[in-house]
Amino acid sequence: MEKIRLGIAGLGRAFSLMLPTFLADSRVQLVAACDPRETARAQFEADFDAPAFDDIDALARRPDIDAIYIASPHQFHAAHTRIAAAHGKHVLVEKPMALSLAECDDMIDACRKANVHLIVGHCHSFDTPYLRTRELIESGAFGEVKMIHALNYTDYLYRPRRPEELKTEEGGGAVFSQAAHQVDIVRMLAGSRATRIRAAVGNWDAARPTEGAYTATLWFENGAFATLSYNGYAHFDSDEWTGWIGEMGQTRSPDEYGAARRKLSGVASREEEASLKAAGTYGGKTYAPASKEPDERRHQHFGPLIVSCERGDLRPMPDGIVVYGNERRERIELDAPRVPRAEVIDELMGAMRGGIAPLHDGEWARGTLEICLAMLRSSAEARDVVIK
């Protein structure tokens, strides 16, 4: 089997979440990495018997790399993409694509000139339940999409953060980190260009000075509209409405309630909080490696969602899709994933080896960022914002 020889730029939380995919998917070979943390580099070298560098230039120069997974903090995505493309490497970059539309344009232009693919993810629009729901919509059996309702309640804002993650202007907050998922999902399911948005954001805790919640109505060219709501203030947990199956497809327990706030309550400073996050990340003192043993994971998801079509409602779930038709309710079962997030590798492999145009390319991800920026502007100016 032909493999993708992958380099990793950034061994932080995003890499930690993708690592189970890389370990389980035989199509991927990790050949090198870069990260400023010495402990993370040492962990990678020990785990994969492969070199790790302290800067991306040394990584990108290696001839044995086909593509680079850019999992560095948001503010570095644009620069790191340009470096990877300049060395002829295909790019898989984490969401959000960048922090400005100008940076997105630079990334798209750099990859186009270098004749390399640019794929943005993981976003939850890669998840099989949403992809399968899209197929049901495209079949025409339920008529046109009219309305989508998406919501998610989590403990997002009370997980340990670096200082910039609590500053919206530096790419922190729920809109940049979380709305990118919901916007991607509803755009894909609506199947039409977004035209207008009205949004409000919540910034309710002076000790966590960025938005931890938002709500928005998004209108589409085909007449459909979507409502998006997110709350990361660590009270209600909407996994209660998905059978206590968590975002990563794992089984959750209601007894976990309050864990994030309790953990954070012992932190005395921003520096201590950043150290706490680093300790639990790849190479850190309390880092727990991903299990190599199979488990009972279901598909990943991003909270309850319902698509209302002319002749039925579709409800994607972690283990199936519930269809509410005109005359009957039925459930379409989904096989459990053998490899978590394999859909990301499917798209990367299809683009690099199969000549298949990726859905989550630079232009697509730029459109998602444009909507996220419009959400912030709409809230600040208390008005509708046109999506150009």
Side-chain angles (χ1 to χ4, degrees), residues 2-59:
E2 192 173 12
K3 294 179 179 288
I4 295 175
R5 299 174 300 174
L6 196 64
I8 309 296
L11 296 171
R13 176 167 169 76
F15 169 70
S16 298
L17 293 177
M18 280 298 295
L19 184 53
T21 306
F22 299 146
L23 292 174
D25 199 314
S26 59
R27 297 172 294 177
V28 175
Q29 179 185 358
L30 300 187
V31 296
C34 69
D35 193 278
R37 294 176 301 130
E38 183 179 356
T39 56
R41 297 196 302 271
Q43 178 94 47
F44 185 89
E45 290 177 340
D47 287 347
F48 300 102
D49 191 25
F53 308 95
D54 60 4
D55 71 89
I56 192 173
D57 290 279
L59 174 71

Side-chain angles (χ1 to χ4, degrees), residues 244 252-259 262:
W244 288 113
R252 301 265 325 273
S253 170
D255 295 336
E256 297 173 5
Y257 187 85
R262 286 194 297 272

Side-chain angles (χ1 to χ4, degrees), residues 109-131:
D109 186 56
C111 290
R112 183 179 292 125
K113 287 180 177 177
N115 196 29
V116 297
H117 289 290
L118 171 60
I119 296 176
V120 182
H122 176 263
C123 276
H124 278 290
S125 59
F126 280 95
D127 297 348
T128 288
Y130 305 124
L131 294 175

Side-chain angles (χ1 to χ4, degrees), residues 66-115:
D66 301 314
I68 294 179
Y69 169 49
I70 296 173
S72 49
H74 304 163
Q75 63 268 31
F76 300 116
H77 287 181
H80 288 176
T81 293
R82 289 194 298 268
I83 292 169
H87 288 85
K89 312 303 183 187
H90 298 287
V91 174
L92 173 64
V93 59
E94 268 292 329
K95 61 82 195 163
M97 179 179 179
L99 299 182
S100 72
L101 297 182
E103 286 183 326
C104 292
D105 292 337
D106 286 346
M107 295 163 71
I108 293 167
D109 186 56
C111 290
R112 183 179 292 125
K113 287 180 177 177
N115 196 29

Side-chain angles (χ1 to χ4, degrees), residues 219-349:
W219 287 268
F220 295 91
E221 201 167 48
N222 63 0
F225 57 90
T227 58
L228 298 77
S229 296
Y230 186 90
N231 183 312
Y233 280 95
H235 294 125
F236 175 66
D237 188 331
S238 54
D239 285 344
E240 183 174 329
W241 290 352
T242 57
W244 288 113
I245 298 173
E247 181 180 344
M248 299 297 112
Q250 80 279 24
T251 300
R252 301 265 325 273
S253 170
D255 295 336
E256 297 173 5
Y257 187 85
R261 283 178 177 268
R262 286 194 297 272
K263 186 175 183 179
L264 202 61
S265 66
V267 173
S269 66
R270 289 278 183 260
E271 293 75 19
E272 189 176 334
E273 182 175 347
S275 296
L276 180 63
K277 177 171 183 173
T281 303
Y282 187 80
K285 293 179 180 179
T286 61
Y287 169 70
S291 172
K292 296 183 180 180
E293 297 300 320
D295 55 23
E296 297 180 357
R297 286 179 183 265
R298 277 65 51 125
H299 292 281
Q300 299 187 10
H301 69 91
F302 200 69
L305 182 143
I306 300 174
V307 184
S308 294
C309 301
E310 291 176 301
R311 295 187 294 276
D313 290 346
L314 309 175
R315 184 187 178 197
M317 299 283 286
D319 52 2
I321 301 167
V322 185
V323 178
Y324 304 84
N326 285 343
E327 298 180 359
R328 66 192 183 100
R329 173 187 180 276
E330 64 176 318
R331 180 184 177 88
I332 299 172
E333 299 292 340
L334 296 175
D335 293 336
R338 184 183 61 84
V339 176
R341 295 186 174 182
E343 303 92 337
V344 178
I345 309 304
D346 292 342
E347 193 162 314
L348 182 61
M349 181 67 80

